[in-house]
Amino acid sequence: MVNVLGASTAQQRATAMLAPVFLGEGRLAYQARPVPALAAADDVLVRIEACGICGTDLNILATPPAHKATPGIIIGHEGVGIVAEIGPAVRGLQVGDRVVIANRLTCGKCAYCRRGLDNQCTDYQTIGTTIDGAFAPFLRAPARALWKIDPSVPRDDAALFEPLACAVGAVKRAPFQVGDNVAIIGAGPMGLLFGLLYRALGAGQIILLDVAPYRLEFAEAIGMDAAFDVTQVDAPAEVKRLTGLGADIVVDAVGNQIDQAIRLARRGGQVILFGLRAHDNPPVNQYTITRYDLTLHGAFVGLHPFAQTIQLLESRRVQPSTLVTHRLPLAELEHGVELMRTQRAMKVLMEM
């Protein structure tokens, strides 16, 4: 094994770290943990630079939880760091490389993985949900979960690789032409990542819909074409007024807005269903879908979007750090969660 100092002596390796441990039912406790030791030949030890707070983390820490996580683990998955140590079977990564995290570890063996649908793996683990994540000074992960990224990419952009990759994977699902008008339901971090992507692709009007004044003002401040409160206007009428026919593409970044989404789309339009709300069961107007020839795309985390996302970040065409409003030390993770939960922050990065 090779470590960050180019030697394998235990004396040259950090041995302990302080990290927030998820205890269940919205509780965290900072505990001293051993720095993870490499346990498999393809393991990599990463010294984490920063990790973003995701909506999944908010759901894990909700009471009652809105997303499952294993008590006793370190959560967090939107991380960027430096390779500190590698196992003997690791290829393509070296000590000192800068890496980002693809947190979903698929089995490669189930029926869906064998069909090339690894986003539908039935036997997966997830960094930051079922195994230790990146809200910690060090992370151990298999090499296949790590993607090398050029050090010229600013840290805050690199840290948001994973959510950007999810949006990249979803955008690929719906046919797009330069100049298409896009309506996005939900002006939180994911909705705005879609907005940044579609702007880079050459969309016409990009319209954000939400109920939170902070998010709507933020969307306009970063250059979205329109942002309005769906409780204050007739959303389908307003989108039609702005676009002429309705949106060519509609993105539901919330997870329970399918009825609204199909009413925002023009005839023959495309709808991307991206957000996840496991316990919501909204009504669906099937007549509208059939009569107006709409195409609906379920888009879960994206299918193989990682190489494209690395290239996009390295090109600087999309800079997701535009969404970062707060940078906090790891000891203030709970404060960062509260800032996002109460919509006093758009995106919070925890610094190690």
Side-chain angles (χ1 to χ4, degrees):
M1 297 180 183
V2 180
N3 73 10
V4 72
L5 299 178
S8 58
T9 58
Q11 290 86 350
Q12 291 177 311
R13 187 179 186 279
T15 59
M17 62 183 188
L18 191 67
V21 175
F22 173 62
L23 302 180
E25 295 300 320
R27 294 177 294 130
L28 289 173
Y30 285 81
Q31 298 178 3
R33 288 283 184 94
V35 171
L38 303 188
D42 65 343
D43 274 351
V44 176
L45 183 68
V46 180
R47 176 173 56 80
I48 298 296
E49 297 177 284
C51 183
I53 299 176
C54 175
T56 298
D57 300 317
L58 302 185
N59 289 335
I60 289 170
L61 294 172
T63 306
H67 192 288
K68 292 182 179 180
T70 303
I73 70 162
I74 298 166
I75 63 173
H77 59 272
E78 295 181 357
V80 58
I82 306 297
V83 173
E85 193 173 347
I86 60 174
V90 173
R91 302 290 182 267
L93 289 177
Q94 299 179 357
V95 169
D97 284 346
R98 195 154 179 249
V99 293
V100 291
I101 302 165
N103 64 309
R104 191 173 169 86
L105 303 175
T106 55
C107 73
K109 300 174 183 178
C110 72
Y112 287 103
C113 283
R114 290 171 67 87
R115 287 171 180 253
L117 297 172
D118 67 346
N119 67 333
Q120 297 301 322
C121 176
T122 57
D123 188 22
Y124 65 91
Q125 295 192 65
T126 309
I127 293 171
T129 301
T130 63
I131 58 177
D132 280 341
F135 285 138
F138 289 92
L139 168 73
R140 178 184 65 209
R144 72 181 189 275
L146 304 173
W147 287 76
K148 185 177 177 180
I149 191 166
D150 194 279
S152 66
V153 177
R155 181 201 69 177
D156 294 2
D157 289 309
L160 300 185
F161 158 81
E162 189 274 338
L164 181 62
C166 290
V168 167
V171 163
K172 290 197 301 182
R173 302 297 296 272
F176 171 84
Q177 297 185 61
V178 172
D180 275 353
N181 295 314
V182 180
I184 301 167
I185 306 172
M190 288 309 308
L192 293 182
L193 283 176
F194 276 99
L196 295 175
L197 270 177
Y198 277 115
R199 184 167 66 185
L201 289 170
Q205 296 277 321
I206 302 175
I207 304 163
L208 274 294
L209 299 83
D210 207 297
V211 297
Y214 171 81
R215 290 180 167 186
L216 295 169
E217 291 167 9
F218 195 100
E220 291 185 322
I222 65 169
M224 299 296 107
D225 296 289
F228 53 84
D229 185 339
V230 295
T231 68
Q232 303 299 315
V233 300
D234 181 336
E238 186 67 8
V239 168
K240 189 171 183 179
R241 181 186 70 81
L242 292 170
T243 61
L245 294 174
D248 300 292
I249 295 175
V250 181
V251 179
D252 174 9
V254 178
N256 57 8
Q257 296 295 305
I258 183 171
D259 185 59
Q260 179 79 292
I262 63 177
R263 291 189 293 123
L264 296 174
R266 66 161 171 81
R267 300 185 185 198
Q270 309 279 327
V271 176
I272 297 174
L273 302 173
F274 176 82
L276 288 172
R277 295 291 182 94
H279 302 298
D280 290 353
N281 188 27
V284 178
N285 186 334
Q286 186 170 333
Y287 172 85
T288 300
I289 297 169
T290 303
R291 175 63 181 84
Y292 297 137
D293 202 16
L294 302 180
T295 303
L296 276 60
H297 305 270
F300 178 63
V301 305
L303 189 61
H304 310 300
F306 305 120
Q308 302 98 308
T309 305
I310 293 291
Q311 291 172 187
L312 186 60
L313 287 167
E314 291 179 345
S315 76
R316 312 296 294 124
R317 302 290 186 197
V318 172
Q319 299 177 25
S321 60
T322 302
L323 308 184
V324 176
T325 55
H326 294 73
R327 298 162 182 84
L328 301 174
L330 184 58
E332 296 183 25
L333 176 58
E334 288 172 293
H335 177 52
V337 167
E338 188 63 17
L339 286 171
M340 287 186 63
R341 183 171 283 149
T342 57
Q343 298 179 1
R344 289 176 289 152
M346 181 56 67
K347 196 70 177 178
V348 178
L349 285 187
M350 307 311 300
E351 301 178 316
M352 306 304 148

